Amino acid sequence: MNAKVYFIGAGPGAPDLITLRGARALGAADVVLYAGSLVPEAVLEHCREDVQAINTAGLNLQEQKDWYLRAMQNGWTVARLHSGDPSIYGATAEQMELLRGLEVPYEVIPGVSSFTACAAALGAELTRPEVSQTIIITRGSGRASPVPESEALAGLAAHRATMCIFLSGRQLETVVAELLTQYPPETPAALVQRVSQPEERHHRAPLGRLLSGLKLSDWALTTMILVGGALGEDLGVTSRLYDPEYAHRFRRAEGGAE
Ligand SMILES: C[S@@+](CC[C@H](N)C(=O)[O-])C[C@H]1O[C@@H](n2cnc3c(N)ncnc32)[C@H](O)[C@@H]1O
């Protein structure tokens, strides 16, 4: 057998929020490399009992490469398990580059990203007619991954779209101050931590009061910041999709032509 690597989206942490395809690929793997800082071990329940499970939290890229080389030599199937969806803040592109260099075939299996799982936990839709039809996914600048100047938070916030801000639990005060330069203080906002995991918790408040009374260090890790008018409840706005007067390919308008 020739080696192959599957990049698998683990989802936000609950073992039943991985896709069927992801769980099957995980169940067929000889080796699983997983980002243990974000992927709970519970997700490994889909693996074979004799799988070699390696937590990559302590490995650098060269050490990960060594695992891919071992897989090549032994014809192993490798599951590279990333939290949420592998295409978002997964540092997967550099691994794919490495695999292309080694001529090891790879395939990507998407996952439920944490931002959609957070929306689900809040019972919210992120796009609302006339309020916001745009979702901005971003993060505060980090030591390992600086954000380009053209994507500064205040500039993105000027759109007043729905924003989902990753990787910024340690910068809550800075992030909220930047957002408040553009969004009115009454804009609905939320923090969601470890969504779908046993420690899940959320906190909703208008942006201007989002951090009042919170012990900020409790929210430093695995937290999503969501903000935008769309998160408001009982907005009284409805899409035209189910309007009886609105016809489309699958439904005639009441008393009207298709
Ligand atoms: C390295 S990024 C990985 C994102 C991942 N690829 C995704 O699609 O969700 C890690 C950040 O994602 C967010 N995150 C990941 N899992 C989460 C969860 N279960 N609950 C809340 N936020 C989460 C947090 O903002 C965290 O700092």
Side-chain angles (χ1 to χ4, degrees):
M1 276 277 282
N2 288 332
K4 181 164 178 180
V5 175
Y6 290 87
F7 291 90
I8 304 173
D16 58 351
L17 278 179
I18 191 170
T19 66
L20 288 175
R21 188 182 296 186
R24 282 185 196 127
L26 205 48
D30 300 295
V31 178
V32 56
L33 301 177
Y34 68 103
S37 52
L38 283 164
V39 179
E41 293 209 346
V43 181
L44 302 182
E45 73 177 36
H46 299 289
C47 297
R48 286 191 340 228
E49 268 184 19
D50 62 341
V51 77
Q52 301 184 70
I54 315 297
N55 183 346
T56 56
L59 303 187
N60 60 35
L61 193 59
Q62 178 58 47
E63 289 163 330
Q64 296 182 44
K65 183 177 177 181
D66 291 343
W67 274 103
Y68 293 136
L69 287 169
R70 254 171 252 154
M72 267 175 80
Q73 285 152 8
N74 293 290
W76 288 336
T77 298
V78 178
R80 183 64 174 95
L81 195 56
H82 283 271
S83 74
D85 183 273
S87 70
I88 303 176
Y89 305 123
T92 47
E94 60 208 56
Q95 296 175 64
M96 293 176 196
E97 210 166 287
L98 194 153
L99 291 170
R100 284 196 295 272
L102 296 173
E103 295 184 14
V104 173
Y106 65 84
E107 185 176 325
V108 183
I109 301 179
V112 175
S113 180
S114 55
F115 82 96
T116 56
C118 289
L122 294 171
E125 182 178 353
L126 301 177
T127 51
R128 302 294 307 275
E130 295 166 45
V131 179
S132 177
Q133 292 289 290
T134 303
I135 302 167
I136 296 177
I137 289 171
T138 189
R139 57 167 297 173
S141 218
R143 252 188 327 137
S145 314
V147 173
E149 192 49 47
S150 57
E151 296 176 6
L153 210 48
L156 299 179
H159 296 283
R160 295 199 188 174
T162 306
M163 288 182 80
C164 300
I165 304 167
F166 287 64
L167 287 158
S168 303
R170 292 184 197 279
Q171 310 168 39
L172 289 175
E173 283 175 305
T174 320
V175 166
V176 169
E178 290 277 306
L179 296 174
L180 280 169
T181 64
Q182 306 293 335
Y183 288 93
E186 63 275 14
T187 309
L191 301 178
V192 185
Q193 187 174 43
R194 292 202 176 277
V195 71
S196 86
Q197 300 175 23
E199 310 82 10
E200 171 179 326
R201 59 181 176 157
H202 358 113
H203 166 68
R204 297 179 78 129
L207 184 62
R209 286 189 274 116
L210 185 66
L211 305 183
S212 307
L214 288 190
K215 188 174 167 204
L216 298 188
S217 57
D218 285 351
W219 295 85
L221 293 178
T222 325
T223 293
M224 181 76 58
I225 308 165
L226 300 101
V227 63
L231 296 172
E233 292 176 334
D234 308 320
L235 294 179
V237 290
T238 43
S239 86
R240 293 201 63 216
L241 196 58
Y242 299 114
D243 182 337
E245 301 301 319
Y246 181 71
H248 56 74
R249 207 149 59 91
F250 301 106
R251 197 185 65 228
R252 284 173 182 277
E254 266 177 25
E258 207 173 305

